[in-house]
Amino acid sequence: MVLLNDPQYQEAARVLGEKVIGQFPNQPDLQIQTAFRLITGRYPDSFEATHLRQFYEKQSLWYKEHLDDAAAYLSVGEYPVNQELPNYQLAAMGITINSMMNTAEAFTRK
Amino acid sequence: MDHSSYNRRSFLTKTSLGLGALALGSLLEPLSLVGKAATSLKGEPGKFHFPPKVKRVIYLFQSGGPSQMELFDYKPALDKWHGTEIPDSLRATQRNSGMVASQSTFPLVRSIYDFQRQGKSGIWMSELLPHTAKIADEICVIKSMYTEAINHEPAVMMMQTGSQLTGRPSIGSWLSYGLGSENQNLPGFVVLISKGGGAQPLNSSAWSNGFLASHHQGVQFRSGKDPVLYLNNPYGVHPENRREALDLIKELNQHQHDIWGDPEIQSKINQYEMAFRMQTSVPEVVDLSNEPNYIYQMYGEDARIPGTYAANCLLARKLAEQDVRFIQLYHMGWDQHGNLPKGIKYQTEGTDQATAALVMDLKQRGLLDDTLVIWGGEFGRTCFSQGQLTNDNYGRDHHPGCFTIWLAGGGIKQGFTYGETDEFSYNVAQDGVHVHDFHATLLHLLGMDHERLTFKHQGRRYRLTDVHGKVVKGILS
């Protein structure tokens, strides 16, 4: 529950999302790959990259239609939201990164 | 395993354990994921070995070592011998802890509390237990429990895992492994610890899965307003989004599992699915505010305060109604090395009513017939005084040689006393029940043969009772 829903982890995911979107605007594949590498220490393979991209696109479309929810999602945490970047992208990337953080590999030391 | 995707470099980088990791995956493919179990073979987990008497267990663990002489083990001989030295020859028959090593005298101490026979069955109980007295005809008191452990942590480990050393699975984990869970929406093993505590901490190894897959571990609910934190989705995340995210996580995890064959990944997948279901199931079950007033009269007003023993007893009943298989309560503070008269009275005042209420409540709902309720601690206390013996004050040290627990519920004789201690409550005199025997009997009531519920680890088959234990037929109805 903590990893999924704790505000601290939400905020971390959100801010990481801002960083990679800011770094590679309009290049979601590169954004996802960078975030993944920062979280797990390796590059995603093609299966993972595809699924993550599909998920991100779906969330992105959804949040574009539900900007209120995007704003609500981004309101968590104290770090100020980067106003230059589109809200719906930030929310979708936040959720995508949060999901990456919740895979067994991300939080298990082998 | 897709061998074609392996080159030498990826083989070496991925498998730091070498060939072991590849073999591990195929050997340990878990047979029992949540709820599903393979058909029973000798030594493999499966469903029942024979028809069970009970479906669920509520273990009211009284941590610290409640003094049997002030509660259940009536010893008129101690009245006679009060104040005299325990004979050295007798004292030497049991371990004494280092805490009494500096004492020069060991006077025997009678219980300051009076005893009476209770119920139609006439079970002896002290005046400290007016509520348990009302359920005397439901319970089976075992006065002849014994163990080897003399300090709290090894003793608690012994009661919970069958070994004084940590690392073994606990009872609840063995049951989860052997029988799966009856309720898919709640964990099959829940741990509730009363607020307030005592001087002796509790180690979470006591509800650990040990070497079994980690989704068999006990799930500890916090003792307070929010038993499970962060159940709610973040703002702006609806259940559908959350479900899609969980599906993604599951896919990524499953992909990892296909590569590594690590059974722990399967556990994680199970746990995330359980977490999702708990988001809806937990808020309902932990909400005690809708109970009718008579329930609070039965359990005591404390039951309105989340995190108290009484509230946990009530929560245990609700979890039992949802078929959670193993519900374990821990209540600390029974470790009366000194100031025993006051200390133990405080303990019973905080627990007696709710304990009895739980049994009565289960009975009223028809649940007692297929539930096993256990009350007891990790060891007993010495018949001689620890520290100075005065007219109205004394203490007792840890004593593994004999202690009392009681059981109630399906398959257990009612209004019955089993086993006897010697006239001082120092050694078992008749029908001793070792912790291993208690475990064997517990598994038996749940429909499992303790010798057949095994798990191969480090080259040999382990079981809860290890290489010991006999079912105590004398307490079975």
Side-chain angles (χ1 to χ4, degrees):
Chain A
M1 293 298 173
V2 169
L3 278 177
L4 282 172
N5 295 336
D6 183 344
Q8 281 191 341
Y9 288 94
Q10 282 181 55
E11 189 175 0
R14 194 242 304 160
V15 173
L16 179 56
E18 289 183 12
K19 181 170 162 185
V20 299
I21 293 179
Q23 216 179 350
F24 303 108
N26 297 317
Q27 295 172 83
D29 281 328
L30 213 42
Q31 292 163 8
I32 288 170
Q33 189 191 76
T34 311
F36 192 89
R37 205 155 100 77
L38 283 166
I39 290 170
T40 65
R42 62 167 177 90
Y43 287 106
D45 64 26
S46 58
F47 176 97
E48 291 160 339
T50 315
H51 276 79
L52 283 162
R53 176 67 195 271
Q54 278 170 356
F55 177 80
Y56 168 73
E57 290 302 333
K58 191 162 183 199
Q59 299 304 313
S60 194
L61 281 168
W62 194 88
Y63 278 110
K64 209 166 177 186
E65 306 290 313
H66 300 86
L67 287 170
D68 281 344
D69 285 315
Y73 181 78
L74 296 171
S75 67
V76 175
E78 291 171 10
Y79 199 86
V81 182
N82 185 338
Q83 303 296 344
E84 318 264 308
L85 305 171
N87 269 4
Y88 68 92
Q89 279 185 14
L90 287 174
M93 187 54 76
I95 300 242
T96 308
I97 288 177
N98 179 264
S99 304
M100 285 184 219
M101 286 163 68
N102 274 279
T103 56
E105 187 177 359
F107 59 76
T108 313
R109 264 192 112 104
K110 288 222 210 313
Chain B
M1 260 349 133
D2 179 6
H3 296 286
S4 62
S5 71
Y6 271 73
N7 58 30
R8 193 180 67 119
R9 174 174 295 173
S10 65
F11 179 83
L12 287 173
T13 52
K14 277 179 203 280
T15 58
S16 55
L17 300 172
L19 282 165
L22 284 171
L24 191 71
S26 54
L27 264 184
L28 288 187
E29 186 70 74
L31 287 171
S32 59
L33 299 180
V34 177
K36 310 263 179 286
T39 44
S40 178
L41 299 168
K42 190 173 164 80
E44 299 290 338
K47 283 291 179 178
F48 310 105
H49 297 140
F50 39 79
K53 289 284 166 49
V54 298
K55 283 171 68 167
R56 54 190 98 72
V57 180
I58 301 179
Y59 193 163
L60 305 169
F61 192 80
Q62 313 300 326
S63 167
S67 173
Q68 72 277 17
M69 291 148 289
E70 273 73 18
L71 298 172
F72 292 101
D73 206 3
Y74 176 48
K75 292 290 144 189
L78 284 176
D79 284 342
K80 195 166 72 170
W81 295 103
H82 178 77
T84 52
E85 281 295 298
I86 184 174
D88 274 341
S89 54
L90 176 61
R91 185 163 64 85
T93 59
Q94 285 288 340
R95 277 174 94 177
N96 290 144
S97 84
M99 291 177 272
V100 291
S102 55
Q103 272 179 226
S104 47
T105 68
F106 301 88
L108 292 165
V109 188
R110 57 147 171 62
S111 161
I112 203 170
Y113 294 107
D114 293 327
F115 274 75
Q116 256 196 318
R117 285 188 181 278
Q118 298 292 351
K120 292 203 200 80
S121 43
I123 294 190
W124 285 106
M125 283 187 216
S126 85
E127 58 185 290
L128 290 174
L129 301 170
H131 296 277
T132 307
K134 296 196 209 135
I135 56 164
D137 293 329
E138 301 294 335
I139 67 177
C140 175
V141 178
I142 303 176
K143 298 210 264 201
S144 51
M145 291 293 301
Y146 66 102
T147 181
E148 286 77 36
I150 195 152
N151 213 341
H152 297 287
E153 176 142 333
V156 173
M157 287 304 134
M158 187 61 176
M159 288 306 288
Q160 300 303 338
T161 72
S163 163
Q164 290 191 46
L165 299 174
T166 55
R168 300 266 183 102
S170 53
I171 307 169
S173 297
W174 278 109
L175 291 174
S176 168
Y177 161 73
L179 297 173
S181 179
E182 289 287 308
N183 181 336
Q184 300 305 322
N185 298 327
L186 285 169
F189 179 7
V190 173
V191 176
L192 306 170
I193 304 181
S194 325
K195 262 201 301 226
Q200 306 298 337
L202 278 174
N203 188 337
S204 61
S205 302
W207 50 92
S208 150
N209 51 289
F211 42 70
L212 300 173
S214 58
H215 63 264
H216 296 304
Q217 68 187 248
V219 176
Q220 184 190 347
F221 283 14
R222 295 166 76 243
S223 50
K225 202 167 61 74
D226 290 320
V228 181
L229 286 173
Y230 307 125
L231 279 174
N232 293 321
N233 290 323
Y235 302 134
V237 176
H238 294 252
E240 309 84 64
N241 313 64
R242 175 53 87 216
R243 185 64 250 171
E244 285 165 8
L246 285 173
D247 285 338
L248 171 70
I249 294 169
K250 189 158 143 186
E251 272 161 9
L252 293 175
N253 275 337
Q254 193 61 55
H255 179 66
Q256 280 300 303
H257 179 258
D258 291 341
I259 297 172
W260 287 88
D262 182 356
E264 275 304 303
I265 297 178
Q266 285 285 15
S267 276
K268 295 287 185 300
I269 295 176
N270 292 337
Q271 286 170 325
Y272 271 88
E273 289 304 309
M274 175 57 75
F276 180 65
R277 292 194 285 266
M278 279 168 70
Q279 285 189 294
T280 24
S281 67
V282 170
E284 259 179 65
V285 80
V286 302
D287 182 7
L288 302 180
S289 60
N290 289 329
E291 294 295 320
N293 274 330
Y294 85 87
I295 287 289
Y296 294 109
Q297 280 162 4
M298 219 161 78
Y299 283 83
E301 284 299 309
D302 262 359
R304 291 192 198 270
I305 305 169
T308 56
Y309 180 76
N312 285 343
C313 282
L314 178 51
L315 180 51
R317 184 264 283 162
K318 294 195 71 178
L319 290 168
E321 283 179 310
Q322 300 299 321
D323 286 336
V324 174
R325 195 185 298 284
F326 199 85
I327 304 157
Q328 190 151 44
L329 272 67
Y330 282 91
H331 188 75
M332 297 180 266
W334 292 92
D335 193 26
Q336 272 80 49
H337 286 281
N339 292 318
L340 191 147
K342 215 163 82 163
I344 202 171
K345 181 153 185 266
Y346 177 76
Q347 288 298 109
T348 49
E349 280 172 353
T351 58
D352 185 40
Q353 183 176 3
T355 302
L358 174 61
V359 173
M360 289 191 281
D361 198 6
L362 290 168
K363 184 166 183 181
Q364 283 164 14
R365 287 163 205 272
L367 289 170
L368 191 57
D369 288 332
D370 56 5
T371 304
L372 176 66
V373 180
I374 308 168
W375 182 100
E378 68 265 38
F379 44 50
R381 302 203 87 84
T382 55
C383 53
F384 57 81
S385 176
Q386 176 173 16
Q388 209 192 357
L389 168 60
T390 68
N391 271 341
D392 54 4
N393 204 9
Y394 53 93
R396 295 192 195 272
D397 194 15
H398 307 166
H399 191 65
C402 57
F403 62 106
T404 301
I405 69 172
W406 59 254
L407 310 174
I412 294 285
K413 285 193 171 127
Q414 294 170 301
F416 192 69
T417 306
Y418 184 81
E420 287 294 333
T421 52
D422 63 19
E423 56 178 331
F424 302 119
S425 189
Y426 200 72
N427 278 308
V428 167
Q430 194 185 309
D431 297 330
V433 178
H434 190 273
V435 177
H436 294 303
D437 301 325
F438 160 66
H439 288 159
T441 313
L442 202 163
L443 287 175
H444 177 88
L445 286 163
L446 281 141
M448 310 230 72
D449 178 347
H450 71 106
E451 291 179 350
R452 283 165 61 193
L453 178 62
T454 62
F455 186 86
K456 191 164 176 191
H457 173 68
Q458 290 184 336
R460 74 158 173 104
R461 288 186 176 78
Y462 281 82
R463 56 185 216 230
L464 173 61
T465 48
D466 209 18
V467 294
H468 317 281
K470 283 203 312 280
V471 175
V472 182
K473 302 233 159 68
I475 61 167
L476 301 178
S477 65

